[in-house]
Amino acid sequence: MVNYFKKYDEREFYSIIKKFGTDFVLEYLRQNYNYKAKESLNLKFSLLQHKGEKIMDIRAIQKKIIEKLESSNYDDLKSDEFFYLSGQTIKYLLSKSKAGKKDADMLEPFLRAKTVKKLKDEIKFTFFKYKHELGLNQTKFNNALALITAYDKEETIDSDSLLVGILSQNLFYMKKEEN
């Protein structure tokens, strides 16, 4: 980091941003500072975009996911779409909890998952835990769970896409747009 300040060598700066940017977001989530977590993730994405890296287009992914869920389109999900949808589903399932104190500790099993299989297992476990709160005719949610279950690629977790899904407005609570 010294080279950044003395010689303006930005390689070290961006390696620090990549390495620790997500850790700041997770720390704010663990302390129940959702707004600060969103700001930290936005800062990380802004700095990486300034460097020239391609950052996920959240609105485009959200629009694609909504179209898939409303039309029962079971086409294969891309990696970032899967993690975004998983984050949305996690947040929706945890919102069904009747716990008096809902805090970020509820997110911990999902944030600790290292593989897709472990993440899917945690989502299934949470689904069975709160299934009594879910309606049978919730088409969006049922399609989302089907897409998550059908995803079969083995890879490590893209924590940025998962965090975007957790922190962004939940698509299960959005009203269907009229043309």
Side-chain angles (χ1 to χ4, degrees), residues 8 35 37 43 48 54 66 78-79 90 98 103 117 148 163 170 176:
Y8 196 69
Y35 185 72
L43 177 64
L48 292 177
K54 186 174 179 338
I66 289 172
K78 294 179 187 156
S79 178
I90 290 165
K98 295 288 186 187
D103 54 9
K117 183 185 180 324
I148 289 170
L163 286 170
N170 202 294
K176 189 174 181 178

Side-chain angles (χ1 to χ4, degrees), residues 83-176:
F83 292 116
Y84 176 82
L85 182 60
S86 295
Q88 290 281 299
T89 305
I90 290 165
K91 191 71 176 216
Y92 180 72
L93 284 171
L94 293 178
S95 72
K96 297 298 180 181
S97 171
K98 295 288 186 187
K101 182 182 175 192
K102 294 181 187 178
D103 54 9
D105 288 340
M106 298 172 83
L107 292 171
E108 198 66 31
F110 307 104
L111 298 175
R112 288 185 184 263
K114 299 290 183 204
T115 63
V116 170
K117 183 185 180 324
K118 180 67 175 162
L119 180 66
K120 286 169 49 174
D121 289 344
E122 291 295 338
I123 291 172
K124 287 177 191 174
F125 175 76
T126 307
F127 168 73
F128 285 113
K129 190 174 181 180
Y130 300 118
K131 66 184 176 188
H132 61 279
E133 290 292 324
L134 301 169
L136 195 57
N137 295 329
Q138 291 180 327
T139 309
K140 271 188 188 178
F141 179 76
N142 293 338
N143 290 340
L145 207 54
L147 283 168
I148 289 170
T149 305
Y151 189 79
D152 60 351
K153 296 176 183 145
E154 282 301 318
E155 55 192 325
T156 57
I157 301 293
D158 178 8
S159 58
D160 288 344
S161 297
L162 184 66
L163 286 170
V164 168
I166 290 171
L167 292 173
S168 62
Q169 181 183 8
N170 202 294
L171 55 91
F172 297 112
Y173 291 118
M174 289 182 185
K175 301 241 184 221
K176 189 174 181 178

Side-chain angles (χ1 to χ4, degrees), residues 47-61:
L47 289 171
L48 292 177
Q49 186 176 19
H50 183 266
K51 180 185 175 191
E53 290 190 24
K54 186 174 179 338
I55 303 298
M56 66 184 283
D57 184 4
I58 299 169
R59 286 191 182 114
I61 288 179

